[in-house]
């Protein structure tokens, strides 16, 4: 055959006969002492078909389905005959640890006799998550010297620094998450570098024993690589690969993918960032050049300190001039630094300082330019990004933020373009359909273009009998929630429900202010223990809540998605209001306006979808095992009366619905007495 032929080359790789995915799943379930469930089998078969066909798959699998095994088994099977790994991406550290510490070790041992070799696996995170041996030993200057104003914070950070130094002498992985208790960002940054700051294994004196490089090496030799959504996004966006070669990605907790990717590709600019760049470039260039950047940073400080927080639809002239000054001054420093590539004569410390300076200057320059580019479009539909001013706090100054109005195009081109992607979560079919999230991911609309959409949506259900196990109570008789805190009628309703349940209540509130206000008011009315998020670490509060049955726990966002309390300690989930994004939220409001400008329904596409996701996640806290029973009580009457109420209710598990408070209280009393 001619060497320039476009015909596919003959596949000369050895054929391996592997057991069907159903047999491997059965072996795995037996090994872990579980029970096969129809939804789990259906999901495993669908994942296998997706891998073979190349079509993307979105699969909703309710709590208790065993979805981890359902995607790990076909992934391991594929890795046996593939030259690359299968990448599994999660949103939370808890799920990463579950996969690496529990699920994968047991699976590898159980499946080894049925496969060509024992499956291997590794966890891989961004470079910032690993201790840098060179930075820990080189005595680099402290970037955070002016970040802490409270002497108590300085002392606390100093103790954390000492703990990191002690831990550095004994750790085998350098993984920040293995440092328990954790440390704050100020302390950790003194021992870590970003990928852009890193000298590289060949230049670094500690390159051969670099924790990040060792983790990458382990990942490159593994069948399954567990990572997080942030690194998955960075790998997709960067010109250089961070993850090993792979043709299949499993995105677990896929309902969080868009938010995590948005966070990765967003930018910020403040006097602190400019000051950091000035300090890093320090003595490496003439002072006149760095002074110009410092002066521009001081102009930014004065400007942001006097401006109101909020979204910027138009670029004020003075802000435009200041951003241009910062951009040009940063470029002047970059030019003064000279060639980016260090010469072989440069010692590692000098090379490290230069690279750190380039990294900080590039971020300041590129972010300033990006903010300038966000304005000046003739039509709203042409706008690609939104800029807003975030108010300062006691611990940090105000800052400018910039974020994309959509990440759909990025995901479509960078993540879904040349690999098969399986997306799964307990919450994907919003309003009973997958299309809402699929559009945010950049996948085609199956209804409009079934032949070319290239993806399938599948709901494998739940092993729970929701209508028999749970009640969805909407307090239709209550007034609509206002902006002035919880009305007295809401406090009375919560009191009666908690008394009927004998405590055992998880209160999910739309804001921390509401959670604290409810806690203060109800502690005087209730005889059961009442905890509030912020009283202690969230992990310890949840532990106390789970171990003491009458206890109640109130809180906000992290509790909506992060609580897993099976058994009698949780009988009642109270949701104070539909969790729409705040009307003044800069990114959400800008996205709604952008969708409307393109002819869509901005409220339903952005705000209602956001609320549906959180509502489903919150309601999902109730049933965590086959024996759980209870009530999800939504106090916001709009879930029964508003035009969009049907969409929101269709996003929830199929509990038995009622608007009758007496029936709900009676049901809770029966549960308490049983």
């Amino acid at each position: 055959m001619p060497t320039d032929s476009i015909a596919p080359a003959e596949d000369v790789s050895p054929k391996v006969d592997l057991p069907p995915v159903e047999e491997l799943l059965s072996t795995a379930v037996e090994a872990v002492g579980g029970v096969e469930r129809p939804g789990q089998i259906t999901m495993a078969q669908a994942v296998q078909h997706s891998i073979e066909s190349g079509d993307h798959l979105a699969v909703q699998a309710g709590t208790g389905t065993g979805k981890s095994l359902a995607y790990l088994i076909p992934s391991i099977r594929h890795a046996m005959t593939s030259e690359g790994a299968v990448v599994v991406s999660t949103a939370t550290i808890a799920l990463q640890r579950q996969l690496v510490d529990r699920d994968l070790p047991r699976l590898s041992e159980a499946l080894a006799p049925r496969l060509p070799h024992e499956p291997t696996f590794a966890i891989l995170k961004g470079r910032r998550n690993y201790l840098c041996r060179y930075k820990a030993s080189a005595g680099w200057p402290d970037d955070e010297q002016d970040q802490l104003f409270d002497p108590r914070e300085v002392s606390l950070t100093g103790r954390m620094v000492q703990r990191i130094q002690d831990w550095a002498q004994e750790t085998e992985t350098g993984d920040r998450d293995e440092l328990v208790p954790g440390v704050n960002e100020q302390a950790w940054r003194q021992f870590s570098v970003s990928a852009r700051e890193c000298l590289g294994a060949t230049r670094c004196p500690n390159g051969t024993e670099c924790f990040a490089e060792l983790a990458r090496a382990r990942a490159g030799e593994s069948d399954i690589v567990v990572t997080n959504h942030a690194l998955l996004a960075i790998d997709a966006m960067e010109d250089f690969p961070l993850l090993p070669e792979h043709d299949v990605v499993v995105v677990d907790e896929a309902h969080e993918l868009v938010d995590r990717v948005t966070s990765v590709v967003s930018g910020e600019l403040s006097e602190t960032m400019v000051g950091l760049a000035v300090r890093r470039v320090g003595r490496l260039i003439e002072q006149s050049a760095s002074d110009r950047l410092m002066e521009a940073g001081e102009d930014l400080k004065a400007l942001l300190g006097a401006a109101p927080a909020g979204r910027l639809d138009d670029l004020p002239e003075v802000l435009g001039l200041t951003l241009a000054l910062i951009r040009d001054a940063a470029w002047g420093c970059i030019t003064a630094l000279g060639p980016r590539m260090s010469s072989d004569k440069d010692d590692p410390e000098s090379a490290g300082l230069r690279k750190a300076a380039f990294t900080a200057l590039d971020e300041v320059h590129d972010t300033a330019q990006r903010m300038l580019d966000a304005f000046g479009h003739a039509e709203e539909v042409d706008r690609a990004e939104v800029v807003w001013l975030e108010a300062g706090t006691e611990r940090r100054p105000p800052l400018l933020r910039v974020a994309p109005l959509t990440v759909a195009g990025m995901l479509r081109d960078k993540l879904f373009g040349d690999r098969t992607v399986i997306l799964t979560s307990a919450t994907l079919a919003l309003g009973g359909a997958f299309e809402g999230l699929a559009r945010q991911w950049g996948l085609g609309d199956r209804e409009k273009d079934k032949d070319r959409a290239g993806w399938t949506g599948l709901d494998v259900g739940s092993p729970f009998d929701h209508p028999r196990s749970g009640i969805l109570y909407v307090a239709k008789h209550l007034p609509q929630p206002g902006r002035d805190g919880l009305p007295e009628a809401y406090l009375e309703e919560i009191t009666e429900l908690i008394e009927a349940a004998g405590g055992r209540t998880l209160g999910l509130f739309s804001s921390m202010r509401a959670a604290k206000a409810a806690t203060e008011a109800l502690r005087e009315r209730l005889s059961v223990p009442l905890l509030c998020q912020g009283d202690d670490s969230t992990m310890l509060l949840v532990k106390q809540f789970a171990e003491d049955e009458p206890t109640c726990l109130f809180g906000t966002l992290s509790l909506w998605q992060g609580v897993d309390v099976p058994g009698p300690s949780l009988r009642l989930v109270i949701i104070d209001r539909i969790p729409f994004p705040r009307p003044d939220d800069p990114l959400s409001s800008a996205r709604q306006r952008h969708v409307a400008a393109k002819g869509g329904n901005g409220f339903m596409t952005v705000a209602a979808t956001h609320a549906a996701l959180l509502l489903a996640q919150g309601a999902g806290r109730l049933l965590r095992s086959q024996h759980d029973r209870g009530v999800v009580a939504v106090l916001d009457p709009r879930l029964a009366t508003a035009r969009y109420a049907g969409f929101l209710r269709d996003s929830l598990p199929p509990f038995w619905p009622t608007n009758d408070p007496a029936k709900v209280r009676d049901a809770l009393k029966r549960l308490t007495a049983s």
Side-chain angles (χ1 to χ4, degrees):
M1 181 182 294
T3 57
D4 60 348
S5 170
I6 62 172
E10 182 179 354
D11 185 4
V12 295
S13 60
K15 299 298 181 182
V16 179
D17 290 328
L18 295 172
V21 70
E22 296 85 355
E23 290 185 17
L24 293 175
L25 179 61
S26 179
T27 299
V29 171
E30 182 180 356
V32 301
V35 177
E36 282 191 85
R37 300 182 176 95
Q40 186 182 52
I41 297 171
T42 300
M43 179 176 172
Q45 292 170 333
V47 173
Q48 177 68 22
H49 179 266
S50 177
I51 291 172
E52 292 174 347
S53 68
D55 279 352
H56 308 303
L57 172 67
V59 54
Q60 178 167 281
T63 302
T65 302
K67 62 182 171 67
S68 296
L69 288 188
Y71 65 67
L72 286 174
I73 297 300
S75 296
I76 289 172
R77 188 179 187 276
H78 174 68
M80 291 295 106
T81 58
S82 171
E83 294 182 358
V86 172
V87 171
V88 177
S89 178
T90 78
T92 62
I93 294 172
L95 183 53
Q96 288 177 28
R97 295 259 61 100
Q98 175 189 314
L99 292 173
V100 173
D101 295 341
R102 191 187 74 181
D103 294 347
L104 283 166
R106 293 194 293 182
L107 281 184
S108 294
E109 183 179 356
L111 298 179
R114 309 291 308 275
L115 298 173
H117 64 262
E118 182 172 340
T120 56
F121 55 91
I123 188 168
L124 185 61
K125 305 174 183 179
R127 191 171 292 270
R128 271 281 186 202
N129 290 276
Y130 298 99
L131 182 137
C132 172
R133 290 186 186 272
Y134 179 60
K135 190 169 185 179
S137 63
W140 284 15
D142 178 10
D143 289 337
E144 310 297 331
Q145 58 185 348
D146 62 352
Q147 297 302 295
L148 300 172
F149 308 102
D150 188 337
R152 291 171 298 179
E153 290 290 342
V154 174
S155 177
L156 175 63
T157 298
R159 292 195 296 271
M160 289 180 176
V161 166
Q162 184 59 55
R163 273 208 304 118
I164 298 172
Q165 291 172 334
D166 295 341
W167 172 75
Q169 304 304 314
E170 60 188 40
T171 178
E172 296 181 0
T173 66
D175 186 340
R176 178 182 181 178
D177 294 328
E178 295 181 7
L179 180 58
V180 179
V183 297
N184 63 30
E185 188 65 20
Q186 284 82 8
W188 183 253
R189 286 182 70 91
Q190 297 179 43
F191 296 87
S192 66
V193 296
S194 67
R196 294 179 182 273
E197 293 169 324
C198 177
L199 282 174
T202 58
R203 293 297 309 275
C204 179
N206 299 93
T208 57
E209 53 182 1
C210 171
F211 288 123
E213 291 296 329
L214 292 172
R216 287 192 66 193
R218 287 191 294 269
E221 298 171 353
S222 301
D223 298 312
I224 304 295
V225 177
V226 179
T227 188
N228 53 59
H229 294 352
L231 186 60
L232 181 70
I234 295 170
D235 178 73
M237 307 304 169
E238 293 286 2
D239 295 330
F240 50 89
L242 300 174
L243 295 169
E245 182 178 345
H246 60 282
D247 59 358
V248 174
V249 176
V250 178
V251 181
D252 203 342
E253 301 170 313
H255 62 280
E256 294 199 44
L257 180 63
V258 168
D259 285 345
R260 299 301 174 107
V261 172
T262 299
S263 179
V264 166
V265 298
S266 296
E268 62 181 53
L269 189 64
S270 67
E271 59 162 296
T272 301
M273 290 180 57
V274 176
L276 173 62
V278 170
R279 289 198 304 276
R280 284 191 174 180
V281 78
R283 302 170 185 171
L284 301 178
I285 63 174
E286 291 185 7
Q287 186 173 342
S288 58
S290 61
D291 282 350
R292 283 193 290 273
L293 180 57
M294 182 174 66
E295 291 167 3
E298 291 172 350
D299 290 344
L300 181 68
K301 175 182 179 180
L303 184 60
L304 299 187
R311 191 181 72 209
L312 299 175
D313 293 332
D314 298 298
L315 180 63
E317 182 178 2
V318 64
L319 177 58
L321 292 172
T322 303
L323 289 173
L325 280 174
I326 290 173
R327 176 199 61 194
D328 296 343
W331 183 252
C333 292
I334 291 170
T335 304
L337 271 174
R340 287 180 178 266
M341 297 299 294
S342 301
S343 70
D344 294 335
K345 297 179 181 179
D346 288 342
D347 63 274
E349 184 174 352
S350 297
L353 293 174
R354 284 175 55 80
K355 191 151 192 181
F358 273 122
T359 300
L361 290 167
D362 284 341
E363 186 171 5
V364 169
H365 172 274
D366 295 349
T367 304
Q369 183 62 60
R370 182 177 168 187
M371 290 176 173
L372 289 168
D373 292 341
F375 299 96
H377 302 288
E379 302 290 340
E380 175 60 33
V381 293
D382 299 324
R383 192 191 298 263
E385 301 204 284
V386 59
V387 177
W388 70 95
L389 173 59
E390 190 171 294
T393 66
E394 292 182 0
R395 299 186 59 185
R396 65 157 181 80
L399 52 83
L400 283 175
R401 292 193 182 276
V402 58
L405 290 167
T406 175
V407 295
M410 288 183 244
L411 289 174
R412 181 180 61 246
D413 297 339
K414 302 293 187 178
L415 179 61
F416 295 99
D418 56 0
R419 56 181 63 87
T420 303
V421 183
I422 292 97
L423 306 111
T424 185
S425 169
T427 309
L428 291 182
L430 303 180
F434 291 89
E435 272 67 23
L437 284 180
R439 282 191 291 270
Q440 294 186 16
W441 297 329
L443 297 176
D445 192 320
R446 292 181 303 167
E447 297 301 317
K448 296 180 180 179
D449 197 354
K450 294 182 179 180
D451 295 332
R452 297 179 58 189
W455 68 279
T456 302
L458 174 67
D459 184 354
V460 300
S462 167
F464 301 155
D465 187 347
H466 285 91
R468 289 181 176 272
S469 301
I471 295 173
L472 174 63
Y473 165 54
V474 181
K476 187 178 179 180
H477 63 284
L478 290 179
Q480 287 196 18
R483 296 185 178 183
D484 300 324
L486 290 172
E488 175 61 25
Y490 279 49
L491 295 173
E492 292 177 359
E493 186 82 19
I494 296 172
T495 301
E496 292 175 356
L497 289 169
I498 291 177
E499 287 176 340
R504 301 176 174 86
T505 299
L506 177 65
L508 302 177
F509 292 84
S510 54
S511 70
M512 184 55 72
R513 184 179 66 174
K516 289 181 176 179
T519 301
E520 292 176 6
L522 295 175
R523 276 178 175 158
E524 300 176 357
R525 307 185 187 197
L526 295 169
S527 59
V528 296
L530 182 52
L531 307 175
C532 185
Q533 191 174 7
D535 290 346
D536 205 331
S537 76
T538 300
M539 181 178 68
L540 291 177
L541 290 173
V542 172
K543 184 174 184 291
Q544 186 176 345
F545 171 61
E547 292 176 349
D548 184 25
E549 284 189 22
T551 297
C552 302
L553 174 60
F554 287 1
T556 185
L557 188 58
S558 62
L559 298 187
W560 286 73
Q561 305 183 77
V563 175
D564 185 9
V565 179
S569 291
L570 178 52
R571 295 298 196 198
L572 172 63
V573 174
I574 294 177
I575 296 174
D576 70 327
R577 63 191 299 160
I578 298 172
F580 292 118
R582 289 171 55 94
D584 59 353
D585 178 84
L587 182 55
S588 175
S589 60
R591 284 177 165 173
Q592 289 187 58
R593 183 182 63 179
H594 189 67
V595 170
K598 296 171 71 174
N601 187 323
F603 172 79
M604 292 301 296
T605 300
V606 179
T609 294
H610 172 93
L613 270 175
L614 272 181
L615 270 179
Q617 288 287 311
R621 300 310 97 201
L622 180 67
L623 303 184
R624 309 304 295 178
S625 74
Q626 293 279 4
H627 304 292
D628 289 347
R629 302 288 185 272
V631 173
V632 174
V634 181
L635 306 184
D636 191 335
R638 292 175 295 177
L639 191 59
T641 61
R643 292 194 310 271
Y644 49 79
F647 171 79
L648 297 179
R649 291 196 303 270
D650 287 345
S651 304
L652 297 174
F655 297 117
W656 185 77
T658 184
N659 303 128
D660 188 335
K663 288 182 178 179
V664 171
R665 290 194 296 269
D666 288 344
L668 287 170
K669 290 175 182 177
R670 288 195 298 272
L671 276 177
T672 303
S674 63

